[in-house]
């Protein structure tokens, strides 16, 4: 079976071809496979050239297809990375459901090398490879035997010490449908199969707290996920279950998670680190950033200048701090509602400036929407839909900026958090090497799915210090 997704990633990593050229090469190889089923033998080129459909093509197209075939042969022969030595005390990690690698942002700096990763969605896998070029990314569906075999073989080749698995939680999340029959709930079975085949020394599993109360059907029998894990793995592993809030680990964000740490029997046991004494607040995380006005997109430039006369200067100042610190775009009626909303409050409680529809009718919604964050607590849980004022708990805390001619207090930062502020709240490092041409909407959604990497760092660092 050909592997076009990982072939594409390999071309992007090892050649100077543009993304468009890479797409063309992949398409040409797929066409060759349609003429003659691929097998990596010297006779393949000869068989291809004898195919009547292939012979009917122009000489230029035939040449392009043969070049694509040659590149795919090189990919299959040379795409593996050299085995890393473990003599330095560093530990090798497999990241399952890796997304773009938010969780592992600090691991290399504390002695853990993510040498193999798996992600289903090609766009995410491609970005992961740009952020972590040393990691062997296997793009594809872990439920596919072909992909799972590649993961297991790569793990054995690299000598994996730790498996880190963060399977999708939409089937269990309070923000999702909470569907016990969601097929994604059963992805934990794939994790168990990989653990059994690879036999790592340690396993880290992360999900939402409802993970512990979710049933899956295995061999016709419904069972709770924790019961299933113990049945399958407790014979070889010590299993520690925790429910944590990341705000207790110096992350400026309230985010409850289920954490399972497994230790191969005979190894020093992996346990959660103690909670930190001090809570990091929004003020600690972003309180030093100057006021930034939103970009109001449904008004003229003249009206925009009247609403926010310092918009341009503040935008320039923000972009000097970070290219991700761009003014979010909103509509006028939502911005006005938030200009009259104090820190920690919702615009639904405003006596005059409450949320309205385009026709002026009041908006009906939950009181955690059109809501500003608090300065002196950690941020609310960052969700995937974090760019909207009308979604839950997304608006900057704001400050008293001035009192207008009507005697009304006007509050600053009538907008959602910028991507840079979200990164700070998520505890991502300032030097995280995400390419600057990454679409902002894509990154915002990814950050809303992730686990704060500072928490992951503290858990892995506890393992490292326990071994030293």
């Amino acid at each position: 079976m050909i592997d076009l997704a990982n072939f594409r990633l390999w071309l992007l990593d090892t050649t100077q071809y543009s993304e468009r050229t890479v797409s063309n090469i992949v398409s040409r190889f797929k066409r060759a496979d349609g003429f003659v089923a691929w097998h990596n033998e010297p006779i393949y080129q000869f068989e291809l050239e004898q195919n009547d459909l292939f012979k009917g093509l122009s000489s230029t197209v035939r040449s392009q297809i043969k070049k694509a075939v040659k590149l795919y042969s090189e990919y299959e022969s040379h795409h593996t990375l050299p085995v890393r030595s473990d003599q330095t005390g560093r530990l090798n990690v497999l990241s399952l459901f890796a997304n773009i690698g938010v969780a592992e942002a600090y691991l290399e700096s504390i002695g853990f090398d993510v040498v193999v990763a798996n992600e289903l969605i090609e766009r995410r896998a491609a970005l992961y490879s740009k952020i972590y070029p040393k990691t062997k990314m296997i793009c594809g569906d872990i439920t596919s035997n072909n992909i799972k075999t590649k993961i297991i073989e790569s793990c054995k080749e690299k000598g994996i010490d730790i498996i880190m698995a963060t399977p999708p939680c939409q089937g269990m999340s309070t923000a999702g449908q909470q569907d016990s029959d969601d097929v994604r709930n059963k992805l934990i079975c794939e994790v168990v199969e990989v653990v059994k085949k690879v036999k790592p020394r340690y396993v880290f599993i992360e999900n939402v707290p409802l993970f512990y109360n979710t049933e899956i059907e295995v061999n016709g029998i419904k069972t709770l996920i924790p019961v299933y894990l113990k049945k399958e793995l407790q014979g070889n592993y010590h299993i520690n279950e925790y429910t944590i809030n990341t705000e207790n680990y110096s992350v400026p964000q309230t985010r409850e998670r289920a954490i399972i740490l497994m230790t191969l029997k005979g190894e020093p046991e992996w346990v959660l680190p103690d909670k930190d004494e001090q809570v990091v607040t929004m003020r600690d995380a972003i309180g030093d950033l100057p006021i930034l006005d939103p970009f109001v997109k449904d008004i003229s430039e003249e009206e925009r200048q009247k609403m926010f006369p310092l918009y341009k200067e503040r935008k320039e100042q923000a972009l000097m701090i970070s290219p991700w610190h761009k003014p979010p775009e909103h509509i006028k009626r939502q911005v006005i509602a938030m200009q009259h909303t104090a820190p920690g409050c919702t615009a639904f409680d405003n006596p005059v400036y409450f949320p309205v529809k385009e026709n002026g009718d009041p908006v009906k919604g939950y009181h955690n929407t059109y809501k500003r964050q608090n300065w002196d607590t950690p941020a609310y849980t960052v969700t995937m839909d974090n760019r909207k004022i009308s979604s839950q708990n997304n608006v900057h805390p704001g400050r008293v900026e001035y009192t207008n001619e009507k005697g009304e207090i006007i509050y600053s930062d009538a907008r959602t958090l910028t991507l840079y502020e979200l990164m700070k709240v998520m505890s991502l490092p300032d030097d995280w090497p995400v390419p600057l041409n990454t679409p902002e909407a894509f990154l915002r959604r990814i950050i809303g799915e992730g686990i704060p990497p500072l928490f992951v760092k503290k858990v892995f660092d506890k393992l490292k210090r326990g071994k030293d």
Side-chain angles (χ1 to χ4, degrees):
M1 182 181 294
I2 60 175
D3 185 2
L4 299 181
N6 287 297
F7 178 41
R8 182 192 301 272
L9 293 179
W10 178 79
L11 287 169
L12 290 169
D13 285 344
T14 60
T15 72
Q16 299 297 315
Y17 296 135
S18 67
E19 292 193 11
R20 181 176 180 180
T21 300
V22 165
S23 295
N24 289 337
I25 292 170
V26 172
S27 296
R28 289 163 191 152
F29 176 73
K30 184 178 180 181
R31 196 172 182 185
D33 180 66
F35 293 142
V36 179
W38 169 250
H39 56 87
N40 198 357
E41 302 291 340
I43 198 174
Y44 182 83
Q45 285 273 18
F46 174 78
E47 293 176 351
L48 182 64
E49 290 171 358
Q50 302 310 304
N51 180 273
D52 290 339
L53 293 175
F54 180 81
K55 288 193 287 187
L57 301 174
S58 69
S59 59
T60 300
V61 174
R62 291 200 306 271
S63 176
Q64 291 171 343
I65 290 175
K66 287 194 288 185
K67 180 179 179 181
V69 166
K70 181 180 178 182
L71 285 167
Y72 193 83
S73 178
E74 291 177 9
Y75 157 69
E76 286 205 339
S77 301
H78 305 295
H79 72 286
T80 56
L81 295 174
V83 177
R84 300 187 185 194
S85 170
D86 60 0
Q87 296 178 356
T88 62
R90 301 182 69 85
L91 297 177
N92 288 345
V93 181
L94 161 68
S95 179
L96 294 176
F97 315 101
N99 208 312
I100 66 169
V102 170
E104 47 258 53
Y106 292 102
L107 291 188
E108 185 177 4
S109 68
I110 60 170
F112 297 88
D113 296 318
V114 181
V115 293
V116 184
N118 168 240
E119 167 55 37
L120 168 66
I121 300 172
E122 185 177 325
R123 184 185 186 190
R124 298 180 178 189
L127 181 53
Y128 185 105
S129 291
K130 291 176 182 177
I131 298 172
Y132 304 101
K134 298 177 185 177
T135 302
K136 177 179 179 179
M137 166 55 72
I138 299 172
C139 179
D141 186 351
I142 194 173
T143 65
S144 158
N145 287 332
N146 178 46
I147 294 298
K148 190 155 43 190
T149 297
K150 285 188 176 185
I151 294 169
I152 292 167
E153 289 177 350
S154 296
C155 287
K156 291 179 177 179
E157 175 191 344
K158 307 292 184 187
I160 291 297
D161 301 292
I162 304 169
I163 290 178
M164 177 170 65
T166 55
C169 63
Q170 286 87 343
M172 314 172 206
S173 172
T174 55
Q177 299 298 314
Q178 296 185 46
D179 181 3
S180 62
D181 295 321
D182 192 310
V183 294
R184 290 170 293 190
N185 296 348
K186 289 193 67 174
L187 289 172
I188 192 64
C189 299
E190 308 301 334
V191 176
V192 167
E193 186 173 346
V194 174
V195 168
K196 285 182 173 181
K197 296 287 179 62
V198 175
K199 299 180 176 63
R201 295 150 70 186
Y202 301 98
V203 180
F204 172 100
I205 297 174
E206 174 269 343
N207 215 290
V208 295
L210 283 173
F211 181 78
Y212 292 136
N213 300 321
T214 299
E215 287 187 328
I216 56 174
E217 186 174 316
V218 182
N219 298 324
I221 300 173
K222 283 203 168 186
T223 181
L224 288 170
I225 288 176
V227 175
Y228 165 74
L229 288 174
K230 289 172 183 174
K231 178 178 179 293
E232 296 294 323
L233 298 174
Q234 199 169 42
N236 294 317
Y237 288 87
H238 296 291
I239 302 176
N240 291 319
E241 299 175 2
Y242 304 92
T243 300
I244 64 94
N245 192 323
T246 57
E247 69 175 17
N248 293 318
Y249 296 90
S250 298
V251 175
Q253 180 189 166
T254 296
R255 200 176 189 94
E256 291 188 326
R257 311 309 285 175
I259 303 294
I260 296 178
L261 302 179
M262 300 188 193
T263 307
L264 189 66
K265 290 181 177 179
E267 296 282 351
E269 193 166 351
W270 196 4
V271 296
L272 210 64
D274 294 335
K275 296 178 182 178
D276 294 335
E277 293 184 3
Q278 190 166 354
V279 172
V280 179
T281 67
M282 285 285 280
R283 193 181 304 279
D284 298 324
I286 65 169
D288 61 333
L289 298 176
I291 291 172
L292 179 61
D293 301 319
F295 178 82
V296 186
K297 60 185 179 180
D298 59 340
I299 59 176
S300 67
E301 180 63 33
E302 182 180 358
E303 187 176 357
R304 194 179 301 117
Q305 177 66 22
K306 185 177 180 180
M307 279 187 73
F308 297 108
L310 298 177
Y311 170 80
K312 290 184 179 179
E313 293 92 326
R314 289 172 171 174
K315 176 183 176 182
E316 289 174 3
Q317 186 179 18
L319 292 176
M320 289 178 65
I321 294 170
S322 169
W324 300 114
H325 198 34
K326 302 174 185 175
E329 296 186 4
H330 300 301
I331 55 177
K332 179 182 177 181
R333 63 180 184 274
Q334 292 183 341
V335 169
I336 289 176
M338 299 318 304
Q339 282 184 302
H340 292 81
T341 304
C345 297
T346 172
F348 282 112
D349 291 335
N350 293 343
V352 177
Y353 296 96
F354 44 80
V356 294
K357 301 177 184 178
E358 188 174 3
N359 63 4
D361 291 343
V363 169
K364 295 180 181 179
Y366 297 104
H367 277 221
N368 62 354
T369 62
Y370 291 88
K371 188 171 188 296
R372 286 191 182 268
Q373 298 260 6
N374 296 290
W375 275 121
D376 296 318
T377 63
Y380 294 104
T381 301
V382 176
T383 66
M384 290 184 287
D385 197 13
N386 55 61
R387 63 185 180 85
K388 296 178 182 177
I389 286 175
S390 58
S391 192
Q392 52 188 313
N393 300 313
N394 283 341
V395 185
H396 187 283
R399 303 176 177 89
V400 173
E401 188 169 10
Y402 63 92
T403 301
N404 67 14
E405 65 278 3
K406 298 179 183 178
E408 300 165 337
I409 297 174
I410 301 298
Y411 295 91
S412 72
D413 299 281
R415 57 175 176 80
T416 57
L417 299 180
T418 68
L419 187 51
Y420 176 68
E421 290 165 337
L422 286 172
M423 289 177 172
K424 302 290 280 185
V425 164
M426 199 65 178
S427 75
L428 279 159
D430 286 343
D431 60 352
W432 195 46
V434 60
L436 293 179
N437 62 351
T438 305
E440 180 174 331
F442 176 57
L443 267 182
R444 279 180 172 272
R445 183 174 180 84
I446 295 301
I447 286 177
E449 293 179 357
I451 178 171
L454 180 59
F455 168 73
V456 177
K457 176 185 178 183
K458 288 176 177 287
V459 176
F460 275 69
D461 195 44
K462 172 72 172 178
L463 172 62
K464 192 76 172 179
R465 286 186 283 110
K467 290 177 63 59
D468 296 344

